[in-house]
Amino acid sequence: MLDGHSSIVLSIDASPCGRYLATASKDKTMRLWHIPSQRCVAVATGHTEAIGSVALSKKVGCYDVGGKASENGAGAFAVTASKDRTLKVWPLPGAAVINRWADGKGGENALNARLSARAHEKDINIVSVAPNDSLIATGSQDKQVKLWRATDLALHGTLKGHKRGVWDCQFSPHDKVVATASGDRTLKLWSIADCSCVRTFQGHMAGVLRVRFLATGLQLISSGSDGLIKLWTVRTNECESTMDGHNDKIWALDLSPCGTALFSGGADSKIAVWRDTTKERDDAVREAEEQNILMEQKLSNHLRNKQYEKALIIALELDKPYQVLKVLTEIVEKDTKNGRGIETLQKHVIKWSPDRLKQVLKYCREWNTRARNSHIAMLVVKAVVTTIPAAKLALSYEGIPEILAGIAPYAERHFDRLDRMVGDSYLLDFTLFSMGSLHGSNNEGYNEWAERSKYVLPPKEAEGKIQIGGSLIVGGKKNKGNDSDSSDDSIVTIGESDTDSSSDES
């Protein structure tokens, strides 16, 4: 427990070397703590309003720099942003001096501000330092983020684009970009070189309060007023994961130095620790893929050896509907040849658990939508309803009645189709019988029909040719005895009207 401030502590930051801690409070002071001794070694006073944010320099080596070099800006420093809209830079005297302060029994030492500037027109919510200590970024309620040179607090550039106040801004550990979080529910990624917005991330349902870069700089983690933590991929602008562990606004968010743990604190008075399980998840996926390949090989071996019952078990475990259909088809065909009906299917149904039974019936519901698979689907349903009592299916197996209700409409449609096919087959049998094609050499029925059938008008002969219904038949014989009755040029066909050909006879 570090006791020293007289009012609420609003911000805290630790040095990258892990030896020092800076805290900012509503009591208008910033305190520097020596972590090994748990003592406050220095106090910075000079702001006229509450200090809302504090940040320490990020270069580890600069904390050992002391003397005049430290006072001139070559050493470590602390930077504070206050409600009085000013930004101040406080040089640290170096590790040797701070260690003496921690070992001494004297009072608290004072830090003097080396630089000060009026940064924004409204309250400053956040201040952060670049990884190389060259720039300082401030975010304000005036919807702007400003970049300042750490050596002289000269303005480097202004980032404009947010529609509401900016709650957080962080430098990338590897690239020359800055990430900002705003009350307009967006995250933005800015180029330091030209102060342009290069990415916008949308997905939070309320204002975004904190943002951090992951160790690689390729992903962002953010927290918002909606109580959610989101993981973003910079390259794709996509939200990869959403974590829900708080019931109120998440004001604090930070990563462990090794990057394997995430810490979040919310207005619900909870601090949550999140562990990176990416490696374990990838290992589990890889192991599942290997197991899946092994099971598929066993399935292929069983199918090749015609061990269909073992193949059915593996196909159901792998959740492969097509393979299950293929195996069930083979089982049904085998039982049909042996005259056993659906005995094998019924034996399997008895062994199936409720979840397995539901899985198979869902397959049947899908198969039944296609006519060529409906036969197998209906046989499986028949095996189920003839093995398990209907009352047990309705009461003991949750979800089974709904699945069967989905099977019924297509089953009725298939039965109607089969009824029509049976009726059409009788018509086909009658047609073939009438044509004499079903009785081999016995053509009695056809011959009787041919004898009873007569032409509407008898065929006519002309010049040794016969013409019936307008069709010319070559090879007909002319009746010489009828020359006196008709002219050589007279041709009468079936269907012609009885008109005199007086011009031809003359």
Side-chain angles (χ1 to χ4, degrees), residues 359-421:
Q359 176 188 1
V360 174
L361 287 178
K362 286 182 179 179
Y363 290 167
C364 292
R365 183 175 60 186
E366 298 299 324
W367 298 338
N368 202 40
T369 58
R370 305 187 66 177
R372 66 178 182 180
N373 300 330
S374 61
H375 178 62
I376 297 299
M378 289 295 95
L379 287 177
V380 175
V381 173
K382 179 181 179 181
V384 171
V385 298
T386 55
T387 303
I388 304 175
K392 186 176 180 180
L393 282 175
L395 300 177
S396 303
Y397 293 84
E398 184 179 358
I400 297 296
E402 290 78 5
I403 298 174
L404 294 176
I407 295 176
Y410 280 98
E412 294 175 357
R413 185 181 303 177
H414 294 315
F415 287 143
D416 291 340
R417 177 176 55 83
L418 292 175
D419 287 341
R420 291 193 301 270
M421 289 178 62

Side-chain angles (χ1 to χ4, degrees), residues 9 79 134 161 165 169 188 289 295 302 354 357 373 377 455 458 500:
V9 177
V79 57
S134 61
C169 56
K188 287 183 181 292
E289 290 177 352
M295 295 292 286
H302 289 320
L357 182 63
N373 300 330
Y455 291 114
D500 296 335

Side-chain angles (χ1 to χ4, degrees), residues 17 26 37 40 91 135 141 188 241 331:
C17 60
K26 277 189 174 182
S37 63
C40 176
L135 292 174
Q141 286 297 109
K188 287 183 181 292
S241 178
I331 292 175

